[in-house]
Amino acid sequence: MSRIAIIYGSTTGNTQQAAERIQAALGDADLMGADRNSLSQLSGYDVVLMGTSTWGFGDLQDDWEAISGDLGKLDLNGKKVGFFGLGDQESYEDTYVDAMGILYESLSGTGANFIGAWSSDGYHFTESKAVKGGAFIGLALDEDNQADLSDDRISDWTKQIMDEI
């Protein structure tokens, strides 16, 4: 079994709750807040799932912002990395889950093997930094407008993650 870490940054608690739901669905994963200490522990994991919400007009959540300069310095060779992001696709339709895309870009030169791409079908937005090749680079959640879909999306995404690892 692969060792899995779920690292999240949460301001209002929504991303933490999503991380806890992902942890429960996976059954065996370590949960930790985004900080330098959690980044220093990554060498002990095979799989790293990173979660963030998007703030303002496409900004990283504060916990991630504080360590964003360290992300590109990580050595993630041989590690599988996935993302989940929260946002409001109706109020911020042109920056929906941009922070997830910012994390992805920050880690693009670290040797990580990215997993967990997610279809953008069923979402209503105009633009996102988290869309590559027509799909989200990870699981996109909208607790403001589509909270009723989150449990099924988390269940399906975690099954997909398990298949990919």
Side-chain angles (χ1 to χ4, degrees):
M1 179 78 179
S2 297
R3 290 207 58 219
I4 303 171
I6 302 170
I7 302 174
Y8 67 89
S10 190
T11 301
T12 64
N14 286 342
T15 307
Q16 179 177 351
Q17 290 172 2
E20 291 167 351
R21 290 156 65 190
I22 291 168
Q23 181 188 36
L26 291 171
D28 186 25
D30 293 334
L31 192 64
M32 57 190 85
D35 59 25
R36 283 183 177 79
N37 185 51
S38 60
L39 294 183
S40 70
Q41 297 177 41
L42 293 184
S43 63
Y45 293 93
D46 306 305
V47 178
V48 179
L49 304 178
M50 297 181 170
T52 186
S53 51
T54 298
W55 284 88
F57 294 98
D59 298 325
L60 275 175
Q61 187 272 342
D62 288 344
D63 298 331
W64 286 109
E65 184 65 39
I67 59 173
S68 63
D70 297 332
L71 296 175
K73 300 173 189 171
L74 294 172
D75 178 3
L76 299 176
N77 281 310
K79 301 203 181 299
K80 295 183 179 184
V81 176
F83 303 94
F84 60 99
L86 282 76
D88 179 340
Q89 62 192 305
E90 291 183 16
S91 297
Y92 300 96
E93 65 184 356
D94 58 344
T95 59
Y96 181 58
V97 296
D98 271 4
M100 185 168 58
I102 293 168
L103 289 180
Y104 172 88
E105 291 298 325
S106 296
L107 297 172
S108 64
T110 62
N113 297 316
F114 295 115
I115 60 173
W118 186 253
S119 174
S120 60
D121 293 345
Y123 295 86
H124 310 284
F125 65 99
T126 56
E127 196 172 328
S128 177
K129 291 180 182 176
V131 172
K132 307 289 182 212
F136 289 112
I137 51 93
L139 175 63
L141 299 171
D142 184 342
E143 293 298 301
D144 296 315
N145 304 294
Q146 293 182 333
D148 58 321
L149 300 176
S150 292
D151 284 338
D152 286 341
R153 286 175 172 166
I154 288 171
S155 177
D156 292 345
W157 186 71
T158 54
K159 288 175 187 168
Q160 175 185 323
I161 290 293
M162 294 306 291
D163 288 343
E164 291 182 40
I165 61 175

